[in-house]
Amino acid sequence: MTLRVGVVGGGQLARMMIAPAVELGVELRVLAEDAGMSASLAATAVGDYRDADTVLGFARDVDVVTFDHEHVPQDVLAALVDAGVAVHPGPDALRFAQDKLLMRARLQELGMPQPDWAAVTDADELQAFIDDHGGRAVVKTPRGGYDGKGVRVVSAGTEAEDWFATLAEDAHGGALLVEELVDFTRELAQQVARRPSGDLRVYPVVETVQRDGVCAEVIAPAPHAGDRLPQVAAQIGAGIAEGLGVTGMLAVELFQTTDERLLVNELAMRPHNSGHWSQDGAVTSQFEQHLRAVLDLPLGDTEPVADWSVMVNILGGPAEGGLDARFAAAMAEHPQAKVHTYGKAPRPGRKVGHVNVVGDDLDDVAYQARAAASVFLD
C-alpha cells in the first residue's frame, strides 16, 4: 500500500520533496496557499493553512502531515491531533520554532549555550538591557520573522517603539525578545534528523554565509573545524532534537564566537536552506531524510559523497525574462554544477533557486558554484 505524506505549504521546500518521494514510492500531497506556487506539481489542494476545516479536509486521506513552514497555528495543529492525524513535527515541538521567547526559555531549561536574552515589554526595559550589554543589542519579534525580517540591531530602546505599539494594540499583549549582540567569527548550522521512535542521525556541521540577513552560501562541511567543533555542534543538535521532541528534520543555526564557543541562534523544524547542499553532496538528502523521518522509516546515511560541497543561492534572478533562458549557458560553462530552481518569477532579493557543486578542491568547488549561480543574475 502506497504511503501518503501531506505537506502543508506549497513553497520550494515542498517542491524539493517531490523527487525523493517519487524515488521512495511515496505519494506526496501538498496543500498550497495559492495556485501556481513552487510545489504546484504535487498540489492536490489550495487553501488557507490557518483554517482548521481546510487542513482537516486535506489531511483526511494521508498517513502523516508535515510542513513546508512553521506558521500553522497551534489550534489547527491541535485539531489535527485530536482527529487522530499523525503530525510530524508535532505541536509541542513546533511551538518552540513558532515563538522565539518560548524557544529561549526551553533551551535555557535544557542547558543549551545561547546568547544572553530577555523578554521586554516596553522601551524602558529594552533600554535597561542595552545599557547592561555594551550599548547595543538585537531585538526580535518573537513570531513570524525569517530571512532577516523581524530583527533589528538597536542602540536605544526607542528604536523598537513601533513594535511595542503593535504589541499594545494586540489584545493578547506580549513582549519582544532582546538578545546580546554576539561577537562571532562565523555562522554555522547543524542539521539533525529524528524519527518518532527516537532514532537520530546528524549531518556534518556546515558554515553559512549571510548577506543582508539572507543565506547566500553554504560550505559543507564547515572548513577549519578541527575535531572538537563538529562533536560539540552534533551534541547540541541532538540534545535539542531530543529535548524538544522534534520529529523530521531540525536545523540549528549557530554562532561561533571569537572565544571559540558555539551559541544557538535560531531553530527550524523542517528542511532548511543550510541543508540544500545535501541534495548532491550527501548520501541521503535532507528532503529524502525528512520523508523517511516523518514516516518513521529507517534513516539514511548522512555522510558526504565528496570532500566538499558548496551551495550558492540564486537571489533575485535576471532583471528581464525567466531563469530558463540562462540554463544552457550555465550548463555549458559549468557542467559539474547542479542547478535547482523553484518555479518562482524573478524579483529582487527573492530566493529563486540554488546551485550545488561537489568536489575535492574547496577553492575550485566554491568558484564553480558562485560562477554558475552568477549566470542567472544580471
Side-chain angles (χ1 to χ4, degrees):
M1 184 174 177
T2 301
L3 294 171
R4 295 160 297 182
V5 175
V7 183
V8 178
Q12 64 259 27
L13 300 179
R15 177 190 180 96
M16 288 183 275
M17 294 183 206
I18 296 173
V22 171
E23 293 168 353
L24 291 171
V26 170
E27 182 180 343
L28 197 75
R29 300 183 180 184
V30 171
L31 172 62
E33 295 88 332
D34 298 293
M37 292 188 68
S38 292
S40 59
L41 287 171
T44 56
V46 175
D48 188 351
Y49 62 81
R50 297 165 297 185
D51 180 72
D53 289 339
T54 298
V55 179
L56 284 166
F58 167 73
R60 188 174 297 116
D61 297 320
V62 300
D63 296 293
V64 62
V65 167
T66 189
F67 309 95
D68 171 85
H69 55 72
E70 293 105 339
H71 307 313
V72 179
Q74 280 287 316
D75 63 329
V76 175
L77 297 172
L80 287 170
V81 173
D82 290 345
V85 178
V87 179
H88 296 298
D92 289 343
L94 273 170
R95 65 193 180 103
F96 297 112
Q98 294 174 333
D99 190 311
K100 295 180 179 66
L101 283 170
L102 292 178
M103 176 197 76
R104 286 292 179 215
R106 181 59 179 144
L107 292 182
Q108 186 167 300
E109 291 173 352
L110 293 173
M112 292 296 164
Q114 55 181 343
D116 195 14
W117 66 279
V120 291
T121 58
D122 57 38
D124 290 339
E125 291 180 356
L126 176 56
Q127 187 64 56
F129 185 94
I130 292 170
D131 292 341
D132 289 341
H133 291 83
R136 298 179 78 201
V138 179
V139 63
K140 300 179 178 180
T141 55
R143 302 178 69 89
Y146 66 97
D147 284 349
K149 298 177 179 65
V151 179
R152 292 177 185 170
V153 177
V154 298
S155 55
T158 54
E159 294 179 49
E161 281 188 332
D162 56 330
W163 285 353
F164 286 121
T166 300
L167 288 176
E169 294 168 2
D170 184 345
H172 300 291
L176 298 178
L177 170 64
V178 61
E179 300 174 352
E180 66 171 303
L181 187 61
V182 175
D183 187 11
F184 63 89
T185 57
R186 61 176 173 172
E187 295 186 65
L188 305 169
Q190 176 64 63
Q191 283 199 301
V192 180
R194 183 173 179 270
R195 296 168 59 184
S197 59
D199 186 24
L200 183 146
R201 293 285 184 100
V202 298
Y203 281 81
V205 64
V206 302
E207 179 176 343
T208 65
V209 179
Q210 317 294 317
R211 297 196 183 99
D212 299 322
V214 179
C215 179
E217 298 182 6
V218 173
I219 304 171
H224 314 298
D227 294 327
R228 179 177 173 276
L229 186 149
Q231 293 175 359
V232 173
Q235 290 169 357
I236 291 171
I240 292 173
E242 292 174 338
L244 302 187
V246 179
T247 46
M249 289 298 304
L250 167 71
V252 181
E253 298 180 22
L254 300 161
F255 294 126
Q256 183 177 5
T257 66
T258 53
D259 57 357
E260 296 301 315
R261 292 178 298 146
L262 292 183
L263 302 178
V264 178
N265 180 19
E266 296 194 357
L267 307 178
M269 297 180 189
R270 50 173 170 75
H272 188 255
N273 203 167
S274 63
H276 290 353
W277 69 273
S278 65
Q279 287 174 294
D280 304 293
V283 174
T284 309
S285 80
Q286 66 166 342
F287 300 102
E288 177 183 340
Q289 197 79 289
H290 187 71
L291 294 172
R292 288 181 179 227
V294 301
L295 287 166
D296 207 13
L297 296 171
L299 299 177
D301 193 338
T302 57
E303 285 298 305
V305 298
D307 290 342
W308 300 103
S309 298
V310 173
M311 186 283 308
V312 177
N313 275 327
I314 302 172
L315 298 172
E320 294 184 4
L323 298 180
D324 53 347
R326 309 291 180 98
F327 267 100
M331 292 175 176
E333 296 170 22
H334 307 283
Q336 65 273 63
K338 299 292 186 180
V339 181
H340 303 265
T341 57
Y342 306 156
K344 292 181 174 181
R347 188 176 71 200
R350 191 182 204 186
K351 291 179 184 176
V352 294
H354 66 270
V355 173
N356 287 333
V357 177
V358 303
D360 299 328
D361 183 277
L362 177 56
D363 289 340
D364 181 62
V365 167
Y367 167 77
Q368 295 295 340
R370 292 165 186 158
S374 71
V375 173
F376 294 91
L377 307 175
D378 290 328

